[in-house]
Amino acid sequence: MPNVELVGIADENEFRGTQMLYKFKTKYFKDYKDLLNTDIDGVIICTNNKMYCQVSVDVAKAGKHILVEKPFAIDGKSAELMISTVEQNNVKIMNAFPMRFNSSVIEAKK
């Protein structure tokens, strides 16, 4: 996409993170909080589900926009905290639904 740059990948698993570093020709951060200290506009969160809330809160407090994979949160309390934190920090949060753009799904809907 024009005007879009993958600035880095954060992964506590160093082997996997290093693999992605080379695959996508980007920077690797062992701790996602270090990535938040860079000049980025937003973050895609695709960690394990139980971490979505904490990572989203940290990202919002860092002033970065958020795209979080499904499910949005593991419970209502987490979802409410995520939403209130983005509102307090004037950032946007969105849930990813990539399958709606899958050609097979589009064809099945027709």
Side-chain angles (χ1 to χ4, degrees):
M1 293 179 67
N3 303 318
V4 174
E5 177 186 358
L6 176 62
V7 174
I9 295 172
D11 193 326
E12 61 189 19
N13 180 309
E14 195 168 347
F15 177 76
R16 185 175 52 212
T18 302
Q19 283 184 314
M20 297 300 107
L21 146 78
Y22 290 112
K23 181 176 182 176
F24 294 107
K25 298 175 181 62
T26 190
K27 295 177 185 165
Y28 165 66
F29 299 84
K30 187 171 178 104
D31 187 333
Y32 72 90
K33 292 177 183 174
D34 293 332
L35 175 60
L36 297 180
N37 290 325
T38 65
D39 185 27
I40 57 174
D41 297 318
V43 173
I44 300 172
I45 300 174
C46 42
T47 186
N48 63 61
N49 300 349
K50 69 180 182 176
M51 292 297 297
Y52 283 1
C53 182
Q54 183 61 58
V55 175
S56 294
V57 166
D58 291 340
V59 172
K61 287 180 177 179
K64 314 299 183 186
H65 300 292
I66 304 163
L67 177 66
V68 64
E69 290 290 333
K70 297 186 312 181
F72 184 78
I74 59 170
D75 55 35
K77 184 178 177 182
S78 296
E80 289 173 5
L81 178 59
M82 292 161 68
I83 291 169
S84 67
T85 306
V86 299
E87 289 172 347
Q88 291 166 9
N89 290 277
N90 199 31
V91 296
K92 296 177 183 175
I93 191 167
M94 184 175 142
N95 199 205
F97 293 100
M99 292 307 293
R100 74 172 71 175
F101 302 108
N102 181 290
S103 59
S104 297
V105 173
I106 293 169
E107 191 59 34
K109 286 181 179 182
K110 289 179 183 176

